[in-house]
Amino acid sequence: GRLPSFSLEYPCHSPEQQRWFSLSVTPLGTADQGVVISHVNITDRKKHELQLLEQAALLDHAQDAIIVRDLNHRITYWNKSAEELYGWTAADAIGRSVTDLFYKNPALFYEAHDGVVHNGEWVGELHQLSRDGHEVSVDSRWTLVRDQSGAPKSVLEINSDVTDTRQREQQILRVQRLESIGTLASGIAHDLNNVLAPIVMSIDLLRSAATSDDSRALLDTIGASAQRGADMVKQVLSFARGMEGRRISVQVRHLIREMGEIARETFPKNIEVLTAASPDLWTVLGDPTQLHQVLLNLCINARDAMPEGGQITITAERVTFDERYAAVNIDATAGPHIVIQIEDTGTGIPPAILDKIFDPFFTTKDVGKGTGLGLSTSLTIVKHHGGFLRVSSEPGRTRFRIYLPAQPAGHDRGAEDTAAELPRGNGETVLVVDDEVAIREITHHTLEAFGYRVLLASDGAEAVALHARHADEIDVVVTDMMMPVMDGASVIQALVKTNPGVRIIAVSGRASCSEALPKIGAGVIQFLVKPYSPETLLRALRLE
């Protein structure tokens, strides 16, 4: 029969040089007719092939993703770095169109492609998708490759991954925006508190003159609204400037009741808000404004999860953890706790993002509708209070549980307490310094109503002049810190210089002003943050 033909390539190396040969054997017919043997030196071709393989290996070691595509956008080359960046193997990618592979919106791609065809190159930033759907930001450099006749043949694309860099830049920009918000909030806090201060101080005076239950109820509503506005300013300052809040014994039942009232007043009417708290709740040691912020953040998230309406339930109860529980739950400590639960009937949190919801700047809300800081801030506040958060979610039900260390000895006098009688003066003279007419007038009326004699100054220069004339009569100076021309710090320094024994109560809409008081000198024995109640001012005068 006819013999089969065969061929092989083999090296023939000597110390002087490396050579390759190709041997092929082709039968002429049957075995007795003979064969044709071809022996060819292929050293030059083999060296070229090895050089190409080495170059390909070098491309696979490149840090950048290197992609070659034809003019129909189909991929013809895909290196190892491209596999690592996008998650597609070369076998997956070669032959596919780049527009199908990792462009959600290919409009910018087509624009860039037109540019590289006309100009021979294109450089810019692109936002692409990886195999798992995550967005990838790349600095991309495109070069048009031509054939031997000079006609466009393909496009060489080199992509550098800048995803982490862009994310860090976005975080820095967000932090800078927050700092700007803090500066703005601090700047307007003084003016807002000057608006609220006369309202807050007027309530007690008007309540004493009220003759009907309806009038007193209306005054209570006005007072609660003004105080809520003041607390909102404090919340913004606390969040944007990191202001440390005061720690007092807080009855959680009151926080829940207030949060329920706010939600019912402000949330859409198709959302039902239910509140319930055990009657024997312990108190917790904390900042009521910051804890209120936590509840507000969680309730707003619950509201946003129910665009078609639903139910939010806020409850609180006592729980005690033993050493065994604390040992297996790293965030928990043994002892009595209060657990606050906020449950909604919304869409739920997908399992894929459940472990990311507390990350700063992570949000599923549209641009302009959330910064992704609500849950992160809530978690920070809870941790600063010695507590921890737990969350569970499924479609139709999401539960956030806030665990806070409790004070078993604490009890709730709360609404059952009757207001203590406000302290009265004994004819002492108080110099009140403030550039706001409304604040001067209400402070004047309040102090005179409780047994004080009052001198008024509308600015720092007038205050220094009045004090110089009435130094022997003035017992206490109450001065605002933020005034035009001559601010409170200058007034304090001038008064202490002329009268080292002067007693001063400093007042400001910015709590941060208190930090500068030790540098100013002696004399300041109290610091009040606007807006304050008449009781706060009267007690400060008696304590001095």
Side-chain angles (χ1 to χ4, degrees):
R2 184 181 180 87
L3 296 174
S5 61
F6 71 93
S7 63
L8 61 87
E9 296 176 355
Y10 65 92
C12 183
H13 301 326
S14 67
E16 292 79 16
Q17 61 179 332
Q18 295 180 341
R19 293 180 298 172
W20 285 83
F21 295 91
S22 173
L23 176 67
S24 61
V25 178
T26 305
L28 291 175
T30 60
D32 57 352
Q33 290 180 311
V35 296
V36 176
I37 300 175
S38 173
H39 191 255
V40 181
N41 188 336
I42 60 169
T43 302
D44 290 341
R45 177 171 67 82
K46 204 65 178 180
K47 286 182 178 180
H48 183 63
E49 290 177 356
L50 291 173
Q51 186 179 14
L52 290 176
L53 289 173
E54 289 174 358
Q55 291 173 347
L58 289 174
L59 290 177
D60 279 339
H61 284 86
Q63 294 293 321
D64 295 333
I66 300 176
I67 304 166
V68 179
R69 64 178 189 271
D70 61 25
L71 298 184
N72 292 320
H73 318 313
R74 297 198 175 277
I75 296 168
T76 59
Y77 177 77
W78 183 268
N79 76 337
K80 289 292 184 182
S81 292
E83 292 185 3
E84 295 173 0
L85 176 59
Y86 298 105
W88 300 95
T89 66
D92 294 327
I94 291 176
R96 297 186 61 180
S97 171
V98 293
T99 56
D100 297 334
L101 202 63
F102 45 63
Y103 285 105
K104 187 175 183 180
N105 182 4
L108 181 58
F109 167 81
Y110 289 125
E111 182 181 336
H113 180 75
D114 292 340
V116 77
V117 170
H118 286 90
N119 303 319
E121 63 179 7
W122 180 87
V123 177
E125 183 170 323
L126 295 172
H127 300 287
Q128 303 169 330
L129 294 176
S130 64
R131 185 171 189 169
D132 59 7
H134 287 101
E135 185 175 283
V136 177
S137 298
V138 295
D139 277 339
S140 192
R141 299 171 297 284
W142 296 2
T143 301
L144 187 65
V145 179
R146 300 179 183 274
D147 60 19
Q148 291 182 348
S149 65
K153 176 184 177 183
S154 58
V155 176
L156 170 66
E157 180 175 340
I158 302 176
N159 294 335
S160 302
D161 184 11
V162 295
T163 307
D164 292 342
T165 301
R166 294 296 176 263
Q167 289 177 348
R168 286 193 296 269
E169 289 174 353
Q170 289 298 317
Q171 289 183 0
I172 291 171
L173 290 173
R174 286 176 177 132
V175 170
Q176 289 174 342
R177 285 200 297 270
L178 288 175
E179 290 177 350
S180 299
I181 292 172
T183 302
L184 177 63
S186 180
I188 67 175
H190 178 70
D191 294 333
L192 285 175
N193 284 325
N194 280 341
V195 171
L196 294 168
I199 301 174
V200 172
M201 295 186 67
S202 299
I203 299 301
D204 286 340
L205 294 178
L206 293 173
R207 188 181 287 111
S208 63
T211 57
S212 68
D213 292 340
D214 290 343
S215 296
R216 282 188 286 271
L218 181 60
L219 289 172
D220 289 341
T221 301
I222 295 172
S225 297
Q227 191 58 52
R228 188 179 302 162
D231 289 342
M232 288 171 63
V233 174
K234 291 177 182 177
Q235 286 177 16
V236 172
L237 287 173
S238 176
F239 171 69
R241 300 293 298 275
M243 183 179 65
E244 282 296 327
R246 59 195 176 101
R247 296 295 176 91
I248 61 174
S249 290
V250 179
Q251 176 48 248
V252 174
R253 179 163 53 254
H254 302 329
L255 286 178
I256 291 176
R257 183 185 66 245
E258 292 167 5
M259 187 63 247
E261 292 173 354
I262 293 173
R264 293 186 191 99
E265 292 172 4
T266 59
F267 286 6
K269 299 305 178 185
N270 60 358
I271 293 179
E272 182 183 12
V273 180
L274 304 177
T275 59
S278 300
D280 57 349
L281 284 182
W282 299 313
T283 60
V284 299
L285 183 64
D287 179 343
T289 299
Q290 291 183 351
L291 294 176
H292 184 277
Q293 180 182 342
V294 173
L295 297 185
L296 184 60
N297 286 341
L298 295 177
C299 285
I300 288 175
N301 285 345
R303 177 203 66 187
D304 293 342
M306 299 185 293
E308 305 300 326
Q311 187 178 86
I312 299 175
T313 305
I314 312 172
T315 60
E317 61 184 358
R318 297 171 14 168
V319 61
T320 300
F321 298 136
D322 56 21
E323 296 290 347
R324 182 179 303 175
Y325 182 90
V328 298
N329 291 270
I330 191 170
D331 296 326
T333 56
H337 286 68
I338 297 293
V339 54
I340 306 171
Q341 178 174 285
I342 298 178
E343 180 178 346
D344 66 69
T345 58
T347 55
I349 304 172
I353 66 171
L354 195 59
D355 61 342
K356 301 178 182 179
I357 61 175
F358 293 104
D359 292 350
F361 307 120
F362 176 82
T363 179
T364 58
K365 298 179 182 179
D366 294 337
V367 175
K369 295 186 178 180
T371 62
L373 286 168
L375 287 177
S376 175
T377 302
S378 298
L379 180 61
T380 300
I381 291 173
V382 171
K383 284 186 174 181
H384 283 172
H385 282 74
F388 59 98
L389 271 170
R390 291 288 184 267
V391 57
S392 61
S393 183
E394 59 189 45
R397 189 184 71 173
T398 297
R399 288 178 176 175
F400 281 88
R401 295 182 182 88
I402 307 163
Y403 294 89
L404 299 170
Q407 298 176 301
H411 58 284
D412 179 19
R413 292 191 303 269
E416 291 78 23
D417 280 353
T418 55
E421 185 177 351
L422 297 180
R424 298 182 60 84
N426 296 308
E428 297 93 335
T429 299
V430 181
L431 172 60
V432 177
V433 189
D434 202 299
D435 60 310
E436 292 287 332
V437 176
I439 292 179
R440 289 200 307 272
E441 290 181 352
I442 191 61
T443 305
H444 185 188
H445 292 315
T446 299
L447 294 181
E448 282 195 340
F450 283 86
Y452 291 94
R453 179 172 172 260
V454 181
L455 296 175
L456 300 176
S458 59
D459 56 52
E462 184 180 359
V464 173
L466 272 174
H467 187 270
R469 293 198 300 269
H470 302 279
D472 295 337
E473 308 169 34
I474 295 174
D475 296 282
V476 185
V477 177
V478 179
T479 180
D480 188 24
M481 294 296 292
M482 305 295 294
M483 295 182 294
V485 183
M486 189 176 186
D487 61 12
S490 301
V491 171
I492 293 169
Q493 289 176 334
L495 296 182
V496 171
K497 186 175 181 179
T498 58
N499 179 12
V502 66
R503 296 188 295 276
I504 300 170
I505 296 176
V507 176
S508 178
R510 300 183 189 178
S512 57
C513 288
S514 63
E515 299 172 1
L517 294 178
K519 303 176 184 177
I520 295 171
V524 178
I525 40 79
Q526 291 280 336
F527 177 78
L528 304 181
V529 179
K530 291 180 181 177
Y532 47 81
S533 66
E535 178 182 0
T536 301
L537 176 60
L538 293 170
R539 293 194 183 282
L541 288 169
R542 296 321 304 167
L543 288 174
E544 60 83 22

